[in-house]
């Protein structure tokens, strides 16, 4: 059974995962506008991953006897200045998610809520991957600089992204 505080915090994170999906959808639309279909595809795969994360919070709240409370989802930013700024914004967004997950773990440990702590550990690991993926693309874009053919090749590389096995596996459990 979740404490009131833990339940509220988990519902808040459920909302933030939905916001993350919404943010990635907005960033995908930004890239569609630049005709960078591979970058847009990468963002749309991320939409699916974020929806899986939201579903996991939803299922965990239900399984532990809590009530899911859906709130309004905030408007995403859609005014990125450049492709590299869009991925830098993505990286910053993921560091924000990491900080939120760590705060949830802190609360679970404080309350000796071992079930919630165990549930959250998947997200602790996932966030390492989420940050690294965005950071790797930022680093490539820095190397590419103003070279448009480099941007073309990176776009082709990002077009090949598939939903991660970890996320689809977790989604199946959710
Ligand atoms: Fe659900 Fe990108 O963290």
């Amino acid at each position: 059974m979740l404490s009131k505080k833990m339940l509220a915090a988990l519902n808040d994170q459920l909302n933030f995962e939905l916001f993350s999906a919404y943010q990635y959808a907005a960033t995908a639309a930004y890239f569609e506008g630049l005709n960078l279909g591979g970058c847009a595809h990468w963002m749309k795969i991320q939409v699916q991953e974020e929806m899986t994360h939201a579903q996991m919070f939803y299922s965990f709240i239900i399984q532990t006897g809590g009530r899911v409370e859906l709130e309004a989802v905030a408007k995403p930013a859609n005014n990125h200045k450049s492709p590299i700024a869009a991925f830098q914004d993505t990286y910053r967004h993921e560091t924000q998610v990491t900080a939120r997950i760590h705060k949830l773990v802190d609360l679970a440990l404080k309350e000796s809520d071992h079930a919630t702590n165990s549930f959250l550990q998947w997200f602790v690991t996932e966030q390492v991957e989420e940050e690294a993926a965005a950071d790797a693309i930022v680093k490539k874009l820095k190397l590419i600089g103003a070279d448009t053919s480099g941007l073309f090749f990176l776009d082709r590389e990002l077009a090949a992204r598939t939903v991660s096995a970890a996320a689809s596996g977790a989604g199946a459990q959710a």
Side-chain angles (χ1 to χ4, degrees), residues 137-172:
I137 298 169
V138 168
K139 284 180 175 141
K140 282 183 185 174
L141 283 165
K142 278 184 182 162
L143 283 174
I144 288 168
D147 173 10
T148 48
S149 60
L151 183 58
F152 172 77
F153 281 113
L154 178 64
D155 192 60
R156 277 221 317 219
E157 181 189 320
L158 298 187
R161 186 183 180 192
T162 54
V163 177
S164 76
S168 51

Side-chain angles (χ1 to χ4, degrees), residues 17 46 50 53 94 97 127 130:
E17 298 292 348
Q46 196 62 35
E50 299 302 344
H53 299 169
E94 289 302 337
V97 176
Q127 280 312 120
E130 294 274 85

